[in-house]
Amino acid sequence: MAVFCKSMAGGLLLTLSLTLLRWGVEGQRNTRGKKEVSGGATIYLGQDRDIWRPLIHITVNLSEVSSIKSSFDLRTFDPEGIVFYGDTKNGEDWFILSLKDGLPLMQISRGDSRVSVAGGPKLNDGKWHTLEVSNQDPFVILEVDGSNKMVVGMQSKETVNVLSGELRLALGGILINKEKMIVQFEPHMDGCVRRGSWLNLSVPWEVEAEELWPCYQNVQPGSYFPGTGLAIFNTSVFPMEADRGVKTELWGDFNKMDGTIFSIKAPGQKLMFALVANNNTKEITLTFGEEKICMKDTFKRLVITFQTNLLKVLQDEDESKTTTLPISPGSQPGYSTTWRAGRLAVGGLLGEEEDNVGSQFLTGCLEKIQVQGKDLDLDLAVKHMSISSHSCPA
Ligand SMILES: *[C@@H]1O[C@H](CO)[C@@H](O)[C@H](O)[C@H]1NC(C)=O
Ligand SMILES: *[C@@H]1O[C@H](CO)[C@@H](O)[C@H](O)[C@H]1NC(C)=O
Ligand SMILES: *[C@@H]1O[C@H](CO)[C@@H](O)[C@H](O)[C@H]1NC(C)=O
Ligand SMILES: *[C@@H]1O[C@H](CO)[C@@H](O)[C@H](O)[C@H]1NC(C)=O
């Protein structure tokens, strides 16, 4: 059922001010002109940067270290990413704590031995968890929320550690070549660390960025688009069987969105598909080739299926709210042609140029996106730094 669409033009984009939603992090500058921050500050680990590079780090003489314990709180919905790194002997001996599949993963190298251990509870539930790492030779112990201990024993042929030289700690990145790790993982972590107590050190940490992005006070699962950029996937990464079609599902509060939710286009071709929310008219417009349909934005879930000769749109799993658009043969290349070579953008409209500059960016939270039944992980997209992949402000 095609409905007349009200004009889409003239919608004034009200962008939410990030500074109002997020906690600020204060910083001062040290003698090398780098900003400094307390080890106990609240740090957003998802800040855009060279992906393995720490956000903040500290170097101290081992002789100044009196404690064997570090503890901090971590909050994330992200199942995978780097949390913290420590080393001695200029990176010869090292320790890495990350998440993988939501579980804490420790990787340790000491002398001639390397180990990796994963386990404990899943931590990516969006709640604050207290983690404590301590080193009681020859054991490294990770404790989550005061229990759930993971103990790793390591004996090295080398003689007992000499307590001299420097110790380096880093948050949100590592200081060694990633090839040295036993378990590889995707480092980007959309999460927050707070209340860090690092070996009882009181010296400030050095900040690698010009400005530290603050953390949202409260978060809910989803991907948040502040209206400044989009995330692009090659559609070829999604499996497709031409005769069965391609299914895309979106969950969210559609009446709180404004801008392009997603679009599909192949280079050199016209835009194949766009789904756009208009916060003024409270309508969602779906454009498919020359066809256009409008929907009231009252649903919470949308299932869009591309098939050889039709496009099917289902609202809230309610079969009575199904819209089908027949595809007239010859009016455009089949969707499967576009899908093989195209781009799928979330949060913006793919442009005419080959370099796919986007526009009409989305403001809002997509609680979940699935393509072919699989959750879409925006960490795997080429995306604008303003988008948070695994959390929305609540
Ligand atoms: C460690 O100590 C050495 C000399 O004992 C000193 O030169 C160096 O600056 C110190 N490093 C740090 C990070 O304090
Ligand atoms: C931690 O440092 C404070 C002073 O900075 C000191 O009073 C306290 O005893 C230290 N705790 C440990 C466990 O070393
Ligand atoms: C898409 O594929 C091209 C090569 O065909 C590659 O250069 C580009 O980085 C890929 N983009 C994404 C988002 O994976
Ligand atoms: C939608 O419009 C309302 C009322 O004009 C406004 O308060 C809200 O911030 C807008 N939301 C977005 C995502 O633009």
Side-chain angles (χ1 to χ4, degrees), residues 230-238 262-273 337-346 348-351 353-357 382:
L230 77 178
I232 301 176
F233 289 89
N234 282 334
T235 40
S236 58
V237 303
F238 307 112
F262 92 100
S263 64
I264 300 172
K265 185 184 172 301
Q269 290 178 13
K270 278 191 189 153
L271 190 72
M272 178 181 94
F273 179 88
T337 315
T338 306
W339 196 266
R340 269 182 211 109
R343 310 269 184 272
L344 182 154
V346 187
L349 201 59
L350 289 162
E353 292 86 29
E354 288 298 304
D355 56 2
N356 276 323
V357 219
V382 171

Side-chain angles (χ1 to χ4, degrees), residues 239-261:
M240 178 199 59
E241 289 170 56
D243 50 339
R244 307 193 68 183
V246 176
K247 188 162 94 170
T248 304
E249 288 167 88
L250 302 152
W251 286 257
D253 197 348
F254 287 85
N255 67 24
K256 289 195 182 134
M257 296 183 202
D258 194 42
T260 306
I261 298 165

Side-chain angles (χ1 to χ4, degrees), residues 56-95:
I56 64 172
H57 58 89
I58 185 176
T59 304
V60 291
N61 276 324
L62 271 170
S63 56
E64 294 161 26
V65 177
S66 61
S67 168
I68 50 159
K69 224 185 302 186
S70 292
S71 67
F72 59 92
D73 293 351
L74 173 72
R75 182 194 66 189
T76 188
F77 285 110
D78 195 343
E80 186 162 337
I82 174 79
V83 180
F84 120 77
Y85 168 93
D87 74 19
T88 53
K89 301 182 194 162
N90 213 16
E92 253 179 72
D93 287 356
W94 46 262
F95 171 90

Side-chain angles (χ1 to χ4, degrees), residues 66-67 199-202:
S66 61
S67 168
L199 304 170
N200 203 28
L201 299 167
S202 54

